[in-house]
Amino acid sequence: MTQTTTDVERLVKNVLLWSDTTSIDLLPVIKKGNIYNGIDTIMVNQGIIQMQKTNLFSEQFIDNYKKLIYTINERLHNRYYDDWLVGDLPTFSFANDLNPWCNCQGYYADHIDIGITKENQNNAETIYRITIPYDFEFTVRIINQNGQWKISYLSGFDYEAGIKKDVRE
């Protein structure tokens, strides 16, 4: 295992641990009657400040999260998505029945296997596999900013995938 692999594994585990213990609400919704019709952007901005303080996330990651949430907010306001009823899952893909930090439904930081697929001195793309109790893969991109590895992409926060309408049968 290279030093980079060790650093990446430590970073991913730290992010999963932090996400499991943080009070940040990734989708702080506003409701009108029995419908969620927007996102509380003040709470989003407070969450972003908390993310920045961790020193785990790159500006690229935080900018992507902002873009994702603000697009969802706009689409909720203009009724692009079907009505999102209070108590139901979102009518878009982001954070819909899966925790976007791991694209899973539980906490598995102790059961991940890191496999770097591309790396250079300044960035790396890795796939981590959660092996217990499920076997699935999750893509992580990291960058080295001022000598410190930071998350620049998590597949659970993918912009294009996250803003898609949820197709329900």
Side-chain angles (χ1 to χ4, degrees), residues 8-62:
V8 171
E9 187 172 323
R10 185 180 310 114
L11 175 61
V12 171
K13 286 182 178 184
N14 285 342
V15 167
L16 291 175
L17 178 62
W18 175 81
S19 70
D20 196 48
T21 59
T22 187
S23 61
I24 290 177
D25 183 352
L26 293 174
L27 276 174
V29 291
I30 298 171
K31 66 181 179 175
K32 184 174 184 181
N34 66 341
I35 296 175
Y36 296 121
N37 68 342
I39 303 292
D40 184 334
T41 56
I42 293 171
M43 286 186 68
V44 168
N45 290 331
Q46 290 171 348
I48 288 169
I49 290 168
Q50 287 182 44
M51 280 187 217
Q52 290 169 328
K53 286 180 180 178
T54 67
N55 223 10
L56 297 171
F57 306 99
S58 71
E59 289 178 32
Q60 180 182 356
F61 178 85
I62 291 172

Side-chain angles (χ1 to χ4, degrees), residues 21 43-44 46 48-49 57 60 76 82 92 105-106 110-111 114 116 121 135 146 148 153 164 166:
T21 59
M43 286 186 68
V44 168
Q46 290 171 348
I48 288 169
I49 290 168
F57 306 99
Q60 180 182 356
L76 285 170
D82 294 336
F92 45 86
Q105 293 182 329
D110 296 331
H111 304 287
I114 301 293
I116 294 180
Q121 193 172 21
D135 188 20
N146 301 320
Q148 182 176 2
Y153 174 87
K164 286 184 180 176
D166 182 45

Side-chain angles (χ1 to χ4, degrees), residues 27 30 36-41 44 66-81 92 159 163:
L27 276 174
I30 298 171
Y36 296 121
N37 68 342
I39 303 292
D40 184 334
T41 56
V44 168
K66 279 193 263 190
K67 181 180 173 186
L68 174 66
I69 291 301
Y70 281 92
T71 300
I72 290 170
N73 187 45
E74 178 184 321
R75 289 181 175 192
L76 285 170
H77 283 296
N78 69 23
R79 302 186 61 101
Y80 172 82
Y81 299 118
F92 45 86
Y159 176 79
I163 63 170

